[in-house]
Structure formats: C-alpha cells, structure tokens
Amino acid sequence: MFSWLGLDERRKKDPEVFQTVSEGLKKLYRTKLLPLEEHYKFHEFHSPALENADFDNKPMVLLVGQYSTGKTTFIRYLLEQDFPGMRIGPEPTTDSFIAVMQGDVEGIVPGNALVVDPKKPFRKLNAFGNAFLNRFVCAQLPNPVLESISIIDTPGILSGEKQRISRGYDFAAVLEWFAERVDRIILLFDAHKLDISDEFSEVIKALKNHEDKMRVVLNKADQIETQQLMRVYGALMWSLGKIVNTPEVVRVYIGSFWSHPLLIPDNRKLFEAEEQDLFRDMQSLPRNAALRKLNDLIKRARLAKVHAYIVSSLKKEMPSVFGKDNKKKELVSSLGVIYGRIEREHQISPGDFPNLKKMQEQLQAQDFSKFQPIKSRLLDAVDDMLANDIAQLMVLVRQEESHRPVQMVKGGAFEGTLHSPFGHGYGEGAGEGIDDANWVVARDKPMYDEIFYTLSPVDGKITGANAKKELVKSKLPNTVLGKIWKLSDINKDGMLDDEEFALANHLIKVKLEGHELPNELPVHLIPPSKRKLVE
C-alpha cells in the first residue's frame, strides 16, 4: 500500500545519476525545486521559473554604470570591432539593453522577437512589458570573443535632474533579473565622475546578494595624474563601502579601456597589470560556468525553502472566516517577528531571508487565503537535492573540467598582447634579456665572481653552507631563497659553480626589484655552458 515510502527512502540512499552537469541541473530543478516554487508562488515574489536555455547558455557579462563611463567603448575594446546598434558619445547614447551575442551574420533582433526564442535565455523578460521590450535588442555578429561569452550593455544610469525622467519600466528590477543569470557584473566608473546618484545607489542595492559576481572598473584613469588618481581611488572605495555592505573590499581594476593613446602615460605599467588581471578573471568564466550555475541553483533553493516557510506561516495565522483584512495588515507589519521565529524554529541563517521591506510591499497585493500550508514532501525533496544530488554534481563538475580542454575566452583584446613583445611584463624581471644574443647574467658576472672567490670554492664550486652565508644577506625569506637555490643548482649536485652563483644573485636581484620568480628557469637564463644538460 505505502510503496511510495520505500521509493523515497531508496531515492535518498541512491542519488540521481546524471551524464552531464547541464542535464543534472535541468532535471533537479524540474523535478525537485520547481514543484516547491510553484506551490508557494515563488515566481510572483522573487524570480520567474528557469528554462532549459538558462542552463545551456554561454557565460554572460553584465556592464553597469552611469552614462559616459565607457560601457559601450569597453565592449568595442574587447571585441576590436563595432557591433550593430553601437552608439558612443559623451551624453546618454545607449538607451537600450543590448545583448551582444555570437551570430553567423551581423544584425539586430528586436526585444519582442527575442523573448519568444526558446534558444535564448530571455523568454521571461516579457513580464516587464512593451515599455522594456521596445528598449531591448540583441546585436548578433561573428566574433571569436563571443564564441565563449555574451555581453549585456545597459542604458547609462542617470544622475541629477535626468534621473527624474521615468523610464516606463522598473530599471532596477530588470538589472536584478539579469544579475541572477549572469556570470560577471562589471560596474564602470569614470575617474572624473564618481558621484553615485540615487538611481545608481538603488541599482547597486538591487544587485545585493550577487557581490561574488561583482567587479569594479575605474575607467579613463589615464586622464588624471598619479597623485590625483590615488585620491580618486580612495574616494571610490569609500563611496562603495557605504553602499556595498560587505566586510570584503570589492575588487577595483584601474585602467583606460579603449584603443586611443594614453593621455598621461605615467601609470602605464599599472594599467597593463590591472588589465591583465581583469582579462584573466573574464577568461576564466567559461571554465567556471557550470560551477556558477550550480552555485546559483543552491542559492535559489535556499531562498525557495525560506519563502515556503514564510508563506505557510502567514497562512497558518489567518482566520478562517472573519477579520481577514485586519489580520493581514497585522501580519505584514509584524513580518520581522515572523522572520525571527522561522529563523529559530528551522535554524536558518538570517542572510537567507528576502529583503524585509520589499517582501512587505509584495505581500500587500496578495490574497493570504490562497497561500498553501506547509507540505513536508516538497521541502524534503529540496533537502534531499541539497544533501545528496548537489554533492554528486560537484564531483561531475570536476570530472568534466579534467576531461575537456581548458576553456578560455579567445580573440579580440584578449589576444592583442599574446606572443608579442607587448605582453605584460615582457622583457622585465626574469624575462630580461629574453631576446639578447648574450647571456644576460654575464653583464654583472664580474661583480658576482669577486664575491664567489671569497667563499672558499673547491674545484671551482662552493658548498651550500658557504653559499647560504652570502645569499641570506639579501634578507629574503628562506622559502624564496630555497626556490632560488633550486632554480640555480642546474646540475642538482648541491653545490654552485661561478655561473650558478651568478645566476642565483641575478634571481635575487629580480625578486628585490619586485618581480615574481619563474616556476621553471627560462631558457635564456640557463648558462650557455649548461644548456646541453637540460635539453
């Protein structure tokens, strides 16, 4: 009779078996999380239901910033070509959301057509109505960068008097919708315009709970001098600290992301290093896409569980016949107390609860009598998913990563400096002398030889103990000196000859000048007499 009980027990002991991460995410969502969401009207309060395209789409990067901070120019810089619908200017020029995606031919797909395409992850945007869809397009073009990622350009956030102009749709809500689904959110600031307007502040607050995806770019930094740039950077961090309420500091990249000459080139090396860091972060998106989707599903499941407890608690408190309106007002006003009770009863972290004020506003328009009481079977299915199935998918993520080639964003600006003398750090530090015909260490070898012959060499070599007495004078930590020793002792005999000793001192100089040591000794640093040993 109660055979389904045994089935549930078996299911808990033997988690679902999935062939791919994408397939597993779709099946778990459809069979275990979606029923809970539908039963407790999750989609009316928080986020529309997910579709297959949400799990299959390429990683997306969302650009957000006030007008004239260089969002569209940033995309142009990455792609190294214009895209359909691109407009660049000092005043608000991009008044639409533009999804820049890969396509066989260049063209624009309008919003109303875009939201009926099942292959695109935008179908649920039709809930924002024509006022938004008339301001939403997809720019398609063939570009190697877009083979790995898609980029969402957004209207410039307004400031001053301009922000009073109504957009006709809930701008912050649209950004929040995108924030849930993208892999990276890049906030752009103009080094000359750091004021955070009311609308910008509202937008950043709408992006709350997605701080892990957020990066900040201080753009147009070549237009101000070093001393002023330090002040601007400090002011930006202070402003962000007031709005992004996290103990960690948001990562800020400083640079000038366009293809024009630097106006003030004093900080060129800094800009190069920052650009490389940002590019590495963006290039890792395809590799981490499955893990990000898994993480987002877990966050969604935790929120759905809390929502179910809230809705069922409100249903439980409602009278069956009289006084419903008064009771509803009382429950909405005391929602914070209900949060506290649920938190204690179910041992839920306060960070898992939805925003109190926003939830109170949404509850005003709801009919509490249509809410559902607690249904343990639905909650147990989600708990089982979090406890068992997610762990299996985590293993599958690692297996997929190890069995496929490294996925990285290629093309455009990402390859502009690869395999050329203009790559970051080329010819500097351990790379110094890479193109020289002569061994670069030979320049200072006479000076190192003088020291070498004071260290009592025997048969042309000094012992490790004698070498240590000299090398520790650099005051570098033993761990660093140990690495230098391994790189310098080329024939691994535990001693150093004059060439190896000179090489060790050269590497110490590289480290003291602030450069990183290589993990393996580059060919151009190997003494010419020993290059046959390492071939």
Side-chain angles (χ1 to χ4, degrees), residues 13 87 93 104 146 169 263 306 350 366 434-435 491 511-512:
K13 290 175 184 174
R87 290 163 60 207
T93 47
D104 295 332
L146 299 176
Y169 60 91
L263 293 179
V306 172
Q366 294 288 332
I434 190 170
D435 296 324
N491 54 11
K511 187 64 181 175
L512 291 176

Side-chain angles (χ1 to χ4, degrees), residues 81-203:
Q81 72 175 96
D82 293 347
F83 58 88
M86 185 185 86
R87 290 163 60 207
I88 296 173
E91 284 297 312
T93 47
T94 304
D95 63 346
S96 303
F97 282 81
I98 304 177
V100 186
M101 307 182 82
Q102 177 73 6
D104 295 332
V105 293
E106 287 196 20
I108 287 181
V109 182
N112 281 290
L114 202 55
V115 295
V116 295
D117 185 351
K119 293 181 180 178
K120 296 282 194 297
F122 305 124
R123 282 161 59 93
K124 296 297 181 179
L125 282 169
N126 59 9
F128 293 101
N130 275 330
F132 165 72
L133 295 178
N134 292 335
R135 291 282 180 269
F136 179 45
V137 297
C138 176
Q140 294 185 322
L141 69 156
N143 186 282
V145 174
L146 299 176
E147 291 174 6
S148 304
I149 60 172
S150 301
I151 306 172
I152 312 295
D153 193 9
T154 62
I157 293 170
L158 304 175
S159 60
E161 290 295 319
K162 295 185 182 73
Q163 66 185 301
R164 297 182 185 176
I165 302 169
S166 174
R167 294 184 186 271
Y169 60 91
D170 192 336
F171 181 65
V174 173
L175 284 178
E176 189 174 359
W177 187 95
F178 275 109
E180 288 179 6
R181 289 158 177 79
V182 300
D183 296 71
R184 188 66 76 237
I185 303 166
I186 297 181
L187 294 178
L188 277 99
F189 287 86
D190 185 332
H192 284 98
K193 187 171 57 184
L194 287 186
D195 60 305
I196 297 180
S197 65
D198 292 345
E199 187 175 52
F200 203 179
S201 179
E202 183 184 344
V203 163

Side-chain angles (χ1 to χ4, degrees), residues 428-432 471 474 476-488 502-522 524-525:
E428 300 172 7
E432 183 185 357
L471 299 183
S474 66
L476 288 171
N478 286 345
T479 51
V480 176
L481 291 173
K483 184 173 184 178
I484 289 171
W485 176 271
K486 288 177 182 176
L487 291 171
S488 304
L503 174 60
N505 279 279
H506 179 78
L507 292 174
I508 285 174
K509 177 183 155 192
V510 166
K511 187 64 181 175
L512 291 176
E513 288 175 350
H515 301 286
E516 291 300 317
L517 294 172
N519 291 321
E520 293 183 6
L521 194 64
H524 72 279
L525 287 183

Side-chain angles (χ1 to χ4, degrees), residues 209-227:
N209 299 325
H210 303 288
E211 289 90 352
D212 56 320
K213 301 178 182 180
M214 205 180 290
R215 304 290 185 271
V216 175
V217 170
L218 180 58
N219 202 10
K220 304 184 183 181
D222 67 315
Q223 299 178 14
I224 52 180
E225 297 188 4
T226 305
Q227 188 178 17

Side-chain angles (χ1 to χ4, degrees), residues 275-276 413-424:
E275 181 180 284
Q276 288 302 310
F414 294 100
E415 292 189 9
T417 58
L418 288 179
H419 314 301
S420 79
F422 300 98
H424 175 60

Side-chain angles (χ1 to χ4, degrees), residues 11-120:
R11 200 172 285 156
K12 287 178 183 178
K13 290 175 184 174
D14 303 314
E16 298 272 8
V17 177
F18 306 115
Q19 298 301 316
T20 66
V21 175
S22 179
E23 175 212 323
L25 289 170
K26 290 179 201 172
K27 190 170 182 182
L28 286 180
Y29 177 72
R30 192 170 56 249
T31 60
K32 295 192 174 182
L33 183 54
L34 184 59
L36 180 76
E37 292 182 353
E38 290 177 335
H39 193 71
Y40 293 103
K41 298 187 174 184
F42 179 87
H43 307 138
E44 294 180 26
F45 285 85
H46 304 290
S47 175
L50 299 178
E51 297 188 332
N52 286 344
D54 291 306
F55 297 104
D56 294 333
N57 69 300
K58 297 172 187 173
M60 293 193 290
V61 177
L62 178 69
L63 298 183
V64 181
Q66 296 187 156
Y67 70 90
S68 191
T69 53
K71 296 186 299 299
T72 307
T73 306
F74 183 83
I75 299 174
R76 170 71 179 77
Y77 181 73
L78 292 182
L79 302 183
E80 293 188 341
Q81 72 175 96
D82 293 347
F83 58 88
M86 185 185 86
R87 290 163 60 207
I88 296 173
E91 284 297 312
T93 47
T94 304
D95 63 346
S96 303
F97 282 81
I98 304 177
V100 186
M101 307 182 82
Q102 177 73 6
D104 295 332
V105 293
E106 287 196 20
I108 287 181
V109 182
N112 281 290
L114 202 55
V115 295
V116 295
D117 185 351
K119 293 181 180 178
K120 296 282 194 297

